[in-house]
Amino acid sequence: MQITNFTYSAYGDMLVLIKENGYNFCFYHDHSSTQRPCILRHDIDMDIQKAKEMASFEVKQSGKVRSTFFVLLRTDFYN
């Protein structure tokens, strides 16, 4: 499946497909004990509010969606 529509609705559809295909959401530390693990990683480069919206969206999804958020505190690549 190729996703070209980057919306919350399309992301929700992708999460459903992941579950329907037998994958289980997990964190990095428990992937080895999870059958068919799926690790979701979100990089927070600029907008912490958008990350909060994404986390809230995942909470509302049916089934347990687990994801990891990485916060970029500083870099030479941005002003």
Side-chain angles (χ1 to χ4, degrees):
M1 172 185 176
Q2 182 178 7
I3 295 179
T4 57
N5 182 11
F6 298 103
T7 63
Y8 283 111
S9 177
Y11 181 59
D13 292 344
M14 183 186 76
L15 296 176
V16 169
L17 281 173
I18 290 168
K19 289 295 284 180
E20 286 178 350
N21 283 283
Y23 289 92
N24 297 294
F25 299 108
C26 65
F27 298 118
Y28 283 92
H29 69 273
D30 61 358
H31 78 278
S32 61
S33 63
T34 303
Q35 291 186 343
R36 294 184 60 106
C38 177
I39 299 172
L40 295 177
R41 171 188 169 145
H42 303 291
D43 294 334
I44 306 170
D45 296 336
M46 310 210 34
D47 193 340
I48 194 78
Q49 184 60 36
K50 289 292 183 189
K52 181 182 175 190
E53 289 174 22
M54 178 69 75
S56 295
F57 179 81
E58 290 175 348
V59 166
K60 293 175 186 173
Q61 294 301 300
S62 61
K64 293 184 178 180
V65 175
R66 294 179 177 179
S67 62
T68 302
F69 289 78
F70 286 90
V71 180
L72 182 64
L73 298 177
R74 64 175 177 229
T75 181
D76 293 333
F77 298 113
Y78 299 114
N79 291 337

